[in-house]
Amino acid sequence: MLEIERINVSYGDLQVLWDVFFEVKKEEIVALIGPNSAGKTTTLKTVSGLLRPFAGEIRFEGLAMGNMPIHKRVEMGISLVPEGRGLFPGMSTLENLELGAFTAKGRNCKEETLEQVYQLFPILKKRKKQAAGTLSGGEQQMLAIGRGLMSKPKLLLFDEPSWGLSPLLSKVIYEVIGEINHSGVTILLIEQNVRMALQLAKRAYVIENGRIVKHGDGRNMLNDQHIREVYLGTESV
């Protein structure tokens, strides 16, 4: 579904990605893990169109995206759940969800998708008139995910979905991500909680200093020596 072919990306004169490559197959979960400032968020921003590579190529369902604008990528089926959630705090929960349905496909089935979001996150229905900025951290993350689903994506990009959440709430969010995937949505996930990400992902890539340094089966990588020493501690799992 998604092919990243040796992209190079910079912020002005500062290059942050070097020949980054990976692929995400239809209906699988792929994790991109690595330390802070490794280039994970930059990669997602590039896939979603917020940044442009100066070399390399990104293909979605076989189509090269080139300089395709962000809204066109959303219409093609790519949706981003950003780090920090990116909600409109003064608007209601319902208004934030409705903003996610701006594509033609999203508008055509808005009410149906809204009910699906409420089934995943019943608390959002109870909070639909409440300002998004007054929700708890966990509720805001649920809202950000729900908004991403409102465009009816084929590929959902998650940037640190457990950010700022308790272990219990993180577990709930990851269970929902699994449910979303089982419904047929492909997932590309970046996450600081490496153990949780690798337990969920079908495959995983490790990015360090802007370069892909390792990739393989998600659960198998839990016992990779480098992963254990750098991200999990030295114990086997």
Side-chain angles (χ1 to χ4, degrees), residues 31 33 194-201 204 218-219 221-222 227 232:
I33 64 173
V194 172
R195 187 185 303 278
M196 189 174 287
L198 293 180
Q199 287 173 339
L200 183 66
R219 287 187 174 269
M221 290 181 73
L222 282 166
I227 299 298
L232 300 175

Side-chain angles (χ1 to χ4, degrees), residues 173-185:
I173 292 297
Y174 265 74
E175 288 173 351
V176 170
I177 292 173
E179 289 183 41
I180 292 170
N181 177 245
H182 290 151
S183 75
V185 179

Side-chain angles (χ1 to χ4, degrees), residues 146-181:
R147 183 184 59 188
L149 291 171
M150 290 298 292
S151 66
K152 301 298 289 184
K154 299 176 183 177
L155 173 65
L156 197 53
L157 313 175
F158 283 93
D159 191 352
E160 304 286 2
S162 71
W163 176 81
L165 302 183
S166 69
L168 179 59
L169 276 174
S170 296
K171 184 175 183 292
V172 170
I173 292 297
Y174 265 74
E175 288 173 351
V176 170
I177 292 173
E179 289 183 41
I180 292 170
N181 177 245

Side-chain angles (χ1 to χ4, degrees), residues 23-71:
E23 66 177 7
V24 183
K25 298 176 183 178
K26 185 177 180 181
E27 296 186 7
E28 73 174 350
I29 300 176
V30 171
L32 182 64
I33 64 173
N36 289 331
S37 302
K40 302 186 301 297
T41 294
T42 297
T43 300
L44 286 198
K45 286 182 176 180
T46 306
V47 172
S48 62
L50 292 165
L51 295 172
R52 299 281 191 268
F54 65 83
E57 195 167 80
I58 299 173
R59 289 192 179 92
F60 182 68
E61 295 187 318
L63 179 65
M65 290 196 284
N67 291 321
M68 184 182 294
I70 299 170
H71 70 279

Side-chain angles (χ1 to χ4, degrees), residues 38-151:
K40 302 186 301 297
T41 294
T42 297
T43 300
L44 286 198
K45 286 182 176 180
T46 306
V47 172
S48 62
L50 292 165
L51 295 172
R52 299 281 191 268
F54 65 83
E57 195 167 80
I58 299 173
R59 289 192 179 92
F60 182 68
E61 295 187 318
L63 179 65
M65 290 196 284
N67 291 321
M68 184 182 294
I70 299 170
H71 70 279
K72 290 292 185 182
R73 300 183 191 216
V74 178
E75 290 172 359
M76 287 178 64
I78 300 173
S79 184
L80 171 66
V81 180
E83 181 182 19
R85 296 141 195 168
L87 302 174
F88 294 90
M91 298 177 70
S92 72
T93 294
L94 178 58
E95 288 169 334
N96 271 272
L97 288 171
E98 289 176 331
L99 283 173
F102 74 91
T103 64
K105 186 177 181 181
R107 290 193 302 272
N108 289 338
C109 54
K110 183 174 71 172
E111 296 305 319
E112 177 186 347
T113 309
L114 192 60
E115 285 306 311
Q116 291 171 352
V117 170
Y118 287 155
Q119 287 177 15
L120 284 173
F121 303 116
I123 191 64
L124 295 183
K125 189 170 187 177
K126 295 180 181 179
R127 302 278 193 267
K128 64 182 181 180
K129 295 182 180 180
Q130 187 171 328
T134 66
L135 300 178
S136 69
E139 290 166 352
Q140 288 186 14
Q141 186 61 61
M142 294 173 190
L143 178 53
I145 295 171
R147 183 184 59 188
L149 291 171
M150 290 298 292
S151 66

